[in-house]
Amino acid sequence: MSVPLRAIQLNEANAFLKKYPEVLYVDLLIADMNGVVRGKRIERTSLHKVYEKGINLPASLFALDINGSTVESTGLGLDIGDSDRICYPIPNTLCIEPWQKRPTAQLLMTMHELEGQPFFADPREVLRQVVSKFDDMGLTICAAFELEFYLIDQDNVNGRPQSPRSPVSGKRPMSTQVYLIDDLDEYVDCLQDILEGAKEQGIPADAIVKESAPAQFEVNLHHVNDPIKACDYAVLLKRLVKNIAYDHEMDTTFMAKPYPGQAGNGLHVHISILDKEGNNIFASEDPEQNAALRHAIGGVLETLPAQMAFLCPNVNSYRRFGAQFYVPNSPSWGIDNRTVAVRVPTGSADSVRIEHRVAGADANPYLLMASVLAGIHHGLTNEIEPGPPVEGNSYEQNEQSLPNNLRDALRELDDSEVMAKYIDPLYIDVFVACKESELAEFENSISDLEYNWYLHTV
């Protein structure tokens, strides 16, 4: 970290501590491969030292499985002595944690080698490498996420979730009631605290809507001209939602498919691209006639099978797919069509953009964004045509062709020459090793259903 940058950041810390003299602690946060936030808690008196020298965390932080255990086949654990790397603050991420009883702040970090260069296995760095290819073209990415989640009861039934009782009516919601305002009113205090907490933390959450299942909601983030910052917001929003819900004696889940027979949780991303003059290169009165838009979509669709492991990184991710739940299962696109993988929303010519609709809320936002942008760049630079847009129900016109399980998705990623041009093959190796380890553990377990079916029948 350069001396001028360090001085600027120290000024940031000084201004914050002066503004919030009551703050006692600061949580130093870094998102792992699964998007799970990890880190350290320090006293306020140590904050300056963090800005001056950073903090040490082991490189194996990015080789953790979903349970927080190091996957040794990544080579980032015992093979390197479980050695440390250094983490530095990300500018403009120091803010209050509004849910804490003891005044506490948080600061987002990113990992570097001891010599100073970014650490290859930090998902934020994976995304930065892809974004740099657009920087070289003089293009700026504008992005925003839509994040779905369920409010759930803190008490599960036999280990399975259930909807929380409404603080207003005392009843558990049972029906879908998409976009129903009354359902927002049932949980208004919690949902309003989420929006107010986001505002206090500088997270641009501008709306909450009722989604397609009992106690399921979606938070819309406003677009920003920095895809890495958009991912920072998504990661921090999940943490905010979880903790605000705890304050209201509820829990949350971003699991892709928590309930059989109900809609899963998605993570849609909207992307447009600006030229050097700030003009949207996708802008058009007739989107089909915009070559840049077509080529970007063509690249995304061509690489979509290889993206799936990043978009749907868990065994449970693939249970979310189904026509009745508006989760696309083929590389398809359309204009204002929610049955396709890549939707072009209608509106003014200047607001034409890509909405990528495949990923689940369990995806790591940095890896999701990196894979989608890799597809866009591939399409732009190779002028890939996407074919005609789908009109009507895509599920009736296109057979399922995307990987429908984690093992096939990992094979597609591992074999993709295109993705290896954008995402460091060393990182792909680490990611695949972690997910194959989780998959092996899952496949070695025996489910209750297997006992019910086979214990006394075969």
Side-chain angles (χ1 to χ4, degrees), residues 321-322 329-331 395 398-405:
F321 287 80
N329 53 23
S330 65
Y395 303 106
N398 296 288
E399 293 184 2
Q400 178 173 333
S401 58
L402 294 174
N404 63 2
N405 62 83

Side-chain angles (χ1 to χ4, degrees), residues 150-151 161-166 169-178 180 183 186-187 210-216 259-263:
Y150 278 92
L151 289 174
Q162 62 178 339
S163 298
R165 293 189 183 278
S166 161
S169 68
K171 300 177 181 178
R172 298 189 195 278
M174 302 298 292
S175 57
T176 298
Q177 303 296 358
V178 65
L180 186 68
D183 273 19
E186 294 282 351
Y187 301 98
K210 173 66 178 64
E211 265 300 334
S212 301
Q216 187 190 34
Y259 297 110
Q262 296 287 1

Side-chain angles (χ1 to χ4, degrees), residues 30-331:
I30 192 163
D32 71 6
M33 174 182 292
N34 291 294
V36 176
V37 175
R38 304 184 186 275
K40 293 182 178 181
R41 176 169 293 173
I42 62 169
E43 294 185 344
R44 65 175 285 140
T45 53
S46 299
L47 184 60
H48 288 98
K49 182 179 178 182
V50 172
Y51 276 96
E52 290 172 348
K53 299 182 179 180
I55 61 165
N56 288 340
L57 287 171
S60 59
L61 185 147
F62 295 115
L64 301 179
D65 65 14
I66 196 64
N67 293 312
S69 299
T70 301
V71 177
E72 292 296 342
S73 57
T74 61
L76 295 180
L78 296 177
D79 284 355
I80 58 172
D82 202 21
S83 58
D84 280 342
R85 299 296 185 273
I86 190 164
C87 300
Y88 290 115
I90 296 170
N92 303 314
T93 63
L94 181 61
C95 63
I96 288 291
E97 295 178 349
W99 60 85
Q100 296 282 9
K101 294 180 181 178
R102 296 179 178 84
T104 304
Q106 68 181 35
L107 178 62
L108 204 57
M109 313 289 286
T110 186
M111 186 174 284
H112 294 252
E113 297 284 2
L114 298 179
E115 296 78 17
Q117 66 268 33
F119 185 56
F120 83 99
D122 186 335
R124 206 172 186 274
E125 171 61 14
V126 172
L127 173 57
R128 192 190 68 81
Q129 291 288 344
V130 179
V131 172
S132 69
K133 296 182 181 296
F134 290 86
D135 295 339
D136 294 342
M137 298 172 67
L139 299 175
T140 299
I141 299 151
C142 189
F145 284 102
E146 298 172 348
L147 178 63
E148 294 175 344
F149 65 94
Y150 278 92
L151 289 174
I152 59 176
D153 203 294
Q154 289 186 333
D155 294 322
N156 295 331
V157 179
N158 297 323
R160 296 176 182 270
Q162 62 178 339
S163 298
R165 293 189 183 278
S166 161
V168 175
S169 68
K171 300 177 181 178
R172 298 189 195 278
M174 302 298 292
S175 57
T176 298
Q177 303 296 358
V178 65
Y179 296 118
L180 186 68
I181 293 295
D182 288 349
D183 273 19
L184 294 178
D185 291 338
E186 294 282 351
Y187 301 98
V188 63
D189 289 340
C190 178
L191 299 177
Q192 195 60 38
D193 281 354
I194 289 171
L195 287 179
E196 291 176 3
K199 182 178 180 180
E200 190 170 356
Q201 291 198 314
I203 300 171
D206 57 11
I208 292 182
V209 298
K210 173 66 178 64
E211 265 300 334
S212 301
Q216 187 190 34
F217 301 93
E218 176 185 274
V219 181
N220 301 144
L221 290 166
H222 196 67
H223 64 270
V224 291
N225 292 351
D226 182 343
I228 303 176
K229 179 63 70 175
C231 294
D232 292 342
Y233 289 143
V235 166
L236 295 177
L237 177 64
K238 289 178 74 171
R239 185 167 187 260
L240 173 74
V241 168
K242 290 179 179 181
N243 284 285
I244 294 295
Y246 293 151
D247 271 357
H248 290 268
E249 299 183 347
M250 290 182 283
D251 206 340
T252 54
T253 183
F254 296 89
M255 186 178 178
K257 187 75 166 181
Y259 297 110
Q262 296 287 1
N265 287 320
L267 181 60
H268 297 172
V269 60
H270 293 248
I271 295 174
S272 55
I273 297 178
L274 311 179
D275 63 19
K276 293 178 180 179
E277 286 71 44
N279 301 310
N280 179 9
I281 68 171
F282 295 157
S284 178
E285 295 289 350
D286 183 359
E288 286 188 65
Q289 303 306 313
N290 183 304
L293 178 64
R294 291 199 318 273
H295 296 156
I297 293 171
V300 169
L301 298 185
E302 184 175 284
T303 57
L304 192 49
Q307 296 175 14
M308 285 294 287
F310 288 141
L311 308 179
C312 303
N314 301 304
V315 173
N316 176 260
S317 305
Y318 297 86
R319 301 187 188 279
R320 175 173 152 265
F321 287 80
Q324 71 272 35
F325 300 121
Y326 291 92
V327 184
N329 53 23
S330 65

